[in-house]
């Protein structure tokens, strides 16, 4: 039996999650002078996130966070985006993820599975809810089971067939297929059994509401109640964007998040400490396998050398708004092979070498022609690249890709479509390339993007999210082998998968998005945030509230 023991800070698995912005911006005046993409030979290390304190901004003597009192706080129903940021202050989660996408738990003491389909989890017996009642395996099983009803969790928990408590200290999960990284998907806050319809269910986290719900105060039953940095966290309703900006600028609100890659990239003032955290939101270039221009693996592979990832992730995603990635996993994951990835970094000359097998420039006009198979005929290139115009960052990135392609003679026209047009075009298959974004799950599983539909009705094939029109079953086979791999085999199985994806290039990774956490200058030190937890290391914060 494969068994894992967790000493609350045990480092176990590799994880993670994609959100897009809306709106449009003007095209950058010049993209031809892109900086070369460095051939990274080392896995990127965590970025030092603690800003240098220049001058402490005026404080009002209290620490205040945003809160929507008219919406549910219930983390299992997951109905309020605003209140999601408070979850880790109120609730423990079955598992959580650190800043490098490793899996940890303060609730599960151990777990085991022989086949990665039937799992048994042991729960700590010393945890208490805010009313003093014990947290049991029945509460954990109930929370995971009911969370499957919420859209927020359906993607990551869809493989779960059943959840049941075995006794007060253990529960079991059955899945529809083998996935050795199931714990990385179980980042579900725990509520008391029976509280699904309660808008403010009891939690076992560090804080709980005051009677009038105007503030959070330490949960006296929390195991580290004496180590919390604040005795009171005040709650204020600034759910309107303009009101939130004003409140933060006036120091009535002390912490906000920002997406530098989207239309919601808010222009806060300069008296801030800005820290970044990584997400599992992947930007990528997708190839239509039915495209006459990219029917060969060599022509598709050329695309990876035409994507200047460092330029896109840096200059075009906002300052530090992206992390360049060649492989379909975050560079901070232990699965990322930076040495292999460096061989596929931005290199237009290498792209031209690969294109020479399928393209020529017979009239020497600088525009390549496709050499038609088994003939002496050629066809001028007229490549259709589509992108959703709702995201300024994706627009800038897609324009840079189109410019790189045109620079080597691949005549490429970019179509900037609204969401409905973009979706309709993808479903029709009326494109050669598309610039896409996907919120990856904690197991880095993208197999559903390659899933081959039933072919009983060739006139009405539903390709689902397989916009590549992939018909190669090797993707399914390699993903299945990777997901079913043991801890000792996982890295090797993932490399086999990653190499196949990279070398066949239906999906060409570009970068992963990052987000910002802003606090007033000098007010908070020691802060580390993650995609799922704004208050990830809250006990280690130092908060300066002197007015």
């Amino acid at each position: 039996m494969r068994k894992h023991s967790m000493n609350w800070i045990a480092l176990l698995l590799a994880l993670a999650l994609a959100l897009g912005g809306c709106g449009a911006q003007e095209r950058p005046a010049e993209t031809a002078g892109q900086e070369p993409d460095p051939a990274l030979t080392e896995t990127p290390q965590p970025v030092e996130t603690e800003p240098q304190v220049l001058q402490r901004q005026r404080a009002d003597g209290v620490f205040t966070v945003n809160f929507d009192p008219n919406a549910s706080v219930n983390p299992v129903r997951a109905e309020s985006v605003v209140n999601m940021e408070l979850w880790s202050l109120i609730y423990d989660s079955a598992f959580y993820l650190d800043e490098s996408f490793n899996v940890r738990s303060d609730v599960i003491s151990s777990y085991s599975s022989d086949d990665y389909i039937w799992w048994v989890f042991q729960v700590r017996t010393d945890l208490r809810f805010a009313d003093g009642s014990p947290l049991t395996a029945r509460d954990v099983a109930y929370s995971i089971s009911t969370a499957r009803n919420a859209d927020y969790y359906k993607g990551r928990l869809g493989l779960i067939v059943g959840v049941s408590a075995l006794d007060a200290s253990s529960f079991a999960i059955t899945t529809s297929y083998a996935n050795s990284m199931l714990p990385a998907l179980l980042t579900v806050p725990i509520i008391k059994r029976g509280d699904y319809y309660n808008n403010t269910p009891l939690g076992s986290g560090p804080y709980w509401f005051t009677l009038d719900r105007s503030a959070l105060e330490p949960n006296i039953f929390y195991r580290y109640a004496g180590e919390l940095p604040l005795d009171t966290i005040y709650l204020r309703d600034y759910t309107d964007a303009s009101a939130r900006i004003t409140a933060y600028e006036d120091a009535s609100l002390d912490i906000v998040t920002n997406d530098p890659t989207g239309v919601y990239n808010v222009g806060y003032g300069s008296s801030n400490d800005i820290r970044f955290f990584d997400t599992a939101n992947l930007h990528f270039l997708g190839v239509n396998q039915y495209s006459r221009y990219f029917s060969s693996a060599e022509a598709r592979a050329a695309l990876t050398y035409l994507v200047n990832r460092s330029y896109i992730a840096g200059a075009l995603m906002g300052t530090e708004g992206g992390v360049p990635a060649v492989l379909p996993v975050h560079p901070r994951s232990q699965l990322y092979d930076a040495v292999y990835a460096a061989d596929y970094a931005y290199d237009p000359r290498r792209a031209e070498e690969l294109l020479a097998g399928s393209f020529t420039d017979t009239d020497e006009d600088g525009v390549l022609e496709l050499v038609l198979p088994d003939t002496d005929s050629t066809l001028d290139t007229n490549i259709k690249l589509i992108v959703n115009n709702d995201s300024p960052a994706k627009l800038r990135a897609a324009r840079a890709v189109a410019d790189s392609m045109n620079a080597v003679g691949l005549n490429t026209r970019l179509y900037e479509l609204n969401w409905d047009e973009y979706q309709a075009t993808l479903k029709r298959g009326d494109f050669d390339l598309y610039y896409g974004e996907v919120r990856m799950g904690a197991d880095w599983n993208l197999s559903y993007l390659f899933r081959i539909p039933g072919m009983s009705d060739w006139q009405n094939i539903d390709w689902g999210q397989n916009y590549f029109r992939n018909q190669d079953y090797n993707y399914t086979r390699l993903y299945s082998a990777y997901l079913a791999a043991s801890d000792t085999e996982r890295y090797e199985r993932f490399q086999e998968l990653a190499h196949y994806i990279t070398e066949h290039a239906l999906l060409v990774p570009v970068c992963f998005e990052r987000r910002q956490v802003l606090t007033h200058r000098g007010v908070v030190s020691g802060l580390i945030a993650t995609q799922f937890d704004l208050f990830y290391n809250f006990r280690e914060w130092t908060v300066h509230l002197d007015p």
Side-chain angles (χ1 to χ4, degrees):
M1 177 177 287
R2 302 178 179 92
K3 184 171 182 178
H4 298 261
S5 177
M6 303 197 67
N7 297 321
W8 325 135
I9 55 171
L11 187 65
L12 297 177
L13 312 170
L15 136 91
L17 306 260
L19 300 172
C22 302
Q25 288 187 352
E26 270 189 358
R27 182 176 182 175
E30 181 63 51
T31 57
Q34 300 175 11
E35 294 296 325
D37 193 4
L40 298 175
T41 57
E42 297 180 0
T43 300
Q45 297 300 308
V47 177
E48 179 59 47
T49 58
E50 189 59 34
Q52 181 181 3
V53 177
L54 300 178
Q55 181 178 355
R56 186 171 299 163
Q57 190 179 27
R58 176 183 58 83
D60 58 3
V62 298
F63 190 84
T64 305
V65 299
N66 199 13
F67 170 61
D68 184 354
N70 299 313
S72 169
V73 183
N74 193 317
V76 168
R77 301 211 314 258
E79 296 170 343
S80 169
V81 174
V82 171
N83 291 341
M84 283 180 185
E85 292 185 350
L86 301 179
W87 285 354
S88 64
L89 293 175
I90 303 169
Y91 303 97
D92 281 314
S93 290
F95 290 89
Y96 65 93
L97 307 162
D98 68 14
E99 66 272 32
S100 294
F101 302 109
N102 299 304
V103 178
R104 302 175 182 232
S105 181
D106 288 333
V107 173
I108 307 300
S109 58
S110 66
Y111 57 91
S112 59
S113 178
D114 287 330
D115 57 6
Y116 301 127
I117 293 177
W118 165 262
W119 294 75
V120 175
F121 299 83
Q122 301 295 324
V123 176
R124 287 178 59 171
T125 58
D126 60 342
L127 303 179
R128 296 288 182 271
F129 285 105
D131 65 351
S133 59
L135 183 153
T136 71
R138 295 182 178 90
D139 301 305
V140 182
Y142 175 84
S143 300
I144 294 172
S145 181
T146 54
R148 292 182 294 163
N149 298 317
D151 290 339
Y152 180 74
Y153 297 104
K154 281 181 179 177
R156 77 179 93 145
L157 302 182
L159 79 167
I160 295 178
V161 175
V163 187
S164 60
L166 303 178
D167 52 43
S169 62
S170 63
F171 68 97
I173 292 180
T174 305
T175 62
S176 58
Y177 59 87
N179 189 335
S180 62
M181 289 177 289
L182 175 65
L185 304 176
L186 302 178
T187 53
V188 179
I190 301 163
I191 64 173
K192 199 171 182 64
R193 184 176 55 158
D195 269 358
Y196 179 79
Y197 293 103
N198 188 336
N199 285 337
T200 313
L202 280 170
S204 57
Y207 289 88
W208 187 241
F209 291 95
T210 56
L211 289 177
D212 61 359
R213 285 167 48 103
S214 65
L216 297 175
E217 292 183 342
N219 168 13
I220 62 172
F221 298 102
Y222 180 60
R223 55 199 171 280
Y224 304 117
E227 302 177 21
L228 300 175
L230 292 169
D231 292 330
T232 305
I233 299 175
Y234 291 89
L235 306 175
R236 295 292 182 270
D237 180 9
Y238 297 116
T239 50
D240 177 75
S242 60
R244 184 165 58 251
I245 295 171
T246 300
Y248 180 77
E249 296 294 346
D250 291 343
S252 299
L253 192 63
D254 291 292
I255 186 169
V256 292
T257 56
N258 184 44
D259 176 6
T261 68
V263 71
Y264 299 112
N265 180 18
V266 180
Y268 290 101
S270 59
S271 298
N272 301 312
D273 290 333
I274 301 176
R275 303 165 177 88
F276 288 84
F277 60 89
D278 294 311
T279 78
N281 301 346
L282 173 67
H283 287 218
F284 65 94
L285 193 64
V287 182
N288 186 343
Q289 191 160 278
Y290 286 169
S291 168
R292 66 179 69 190
Y293 305 112
F294 300 107
S295 59
S296 72
E298 290 79 10
R300 296 194 302 271
L303 294 172
T304 194
Y305 294 105
L306 292 175
V307 178
N308 193 336
R309 296 170 177 85
S310 291
Y311 175 69
I312 291 173
L316 302 187
M317 292 287 169
T319 305
E320 299 187 63
V323 178
V326 172
L327 309 180
V329 64
H330 199 284
R332 290 184 68 172
S333 166
Q334 296 176 2
L335 297 174
Y336 196 92
D337 183 351
V339 175
Y340 174 81
D343 290 338
Y344 292 86
Y346 177 64
D347 187 348
R349 185 169 299 178
R350 176 61 179 143
E352 290 174 330
E353 293 172 356
L354 289 170
L355 293 171
S358 302
F359 297 85
T360 187
D361 185 7
T362 54
D363 53 9
E364 298 182 350
D365 64 350
V367 177
L368 294 177
E369 300 105 38
L370 175 68
V371 178
L372 300 178
D374 304 319
T375 72
D376 293 329
S377 303
T378 61
L379 179 71
D380 285 343
T381 52
N382 186 21
I383 296 166
K384 183 176 182 178
L385 168 61
I386 65 172
V387 63
N388 174 22
N389 66 10
D390 286 349
S391 167
K394 281 188 281 191
L395 279 177
R396 293 190 292 267
R399 289 165 180 166
V401 171
D403 287 346
S404 291
M405 294 176 65
N406 283 310
V408 297
L410 289 173
N411 182 39
T412 303
R413 180 178 177 185
L414 178 64
Y415 292 77
E416 301 175 359
L417 309 176
N418 66 39
W419 178 249
D420 290 338
E421 293 171 334
Y422 178 74
Q423 283 287 297
T425 305
L426 285 174
K427 291 178 180 178
R428 289 196 309 269
D430 182 22
F431 65 93
D432 298 295
L433 305 172
Y434 73 98
Y435 192 94
E437 179 184 356
V438 61
R439 179 186 304 170
M440 297 191 72
D443 52 1
W444 308 108
N445 178 13
L446 291 178
S447 61
Y448 59 94
L449 295 184
F450 298 91
R451 187 170 297 139
I452 301 173
M455 299 296 181
S456 57
D457 183 359
W458 280 93
Q459 299 302 314
N460 298 287
I461 297 175
D462 182 4
W463 290 94
Q465 295 184 67
N466 178 5
Y467 301 126
F468 312 128
R469 273 53 181 178
N470 168 59
Q471 298 180 53
D472 182 354
Y473 283 98
N474 281 314
Y475 292 100
T476 299
R477 176 183 62 82
L478 289 166
Y479 264 111
S480 295
Y482 152 64
L483 293 171
S486 66
D487 291 353
T488 57
E489 299 170 334
R490 183 176 303 116
Y491 181 84
E492 183 177 350
R493 296 288 85 80
F494 182 82
Q495 301 317 311
E496 294 171 354
L497 166 66
H499 291 195
Y500 196 85
I501 290 176
T502 303
E503 291 159 19
H504 288 76
L506 284 179
L507 181 148
V508 179
V510 176
C511 65
F512 285 89
E513 292 182 351
R514 306 182 81 203
R515 297 288 185 266
Q516 295 173 335
V517 179
L518 291 83
T519 56
H520 300 296
R521 182 172 295 163
V523 173
V524 177
S525 58
L527 185 159
I528 296 175
T530 69
Q531 179 172 2
F532 294 100
D533 189 354
L534 178 61
F535 301 94
Y536 167 71
N537 68 330
F538 189 61
R539 285 191 294 124
E540 300 172 21
W541 289 20
T542 299
V543 182
H544 306 279
L545 295 179
D546 298 334

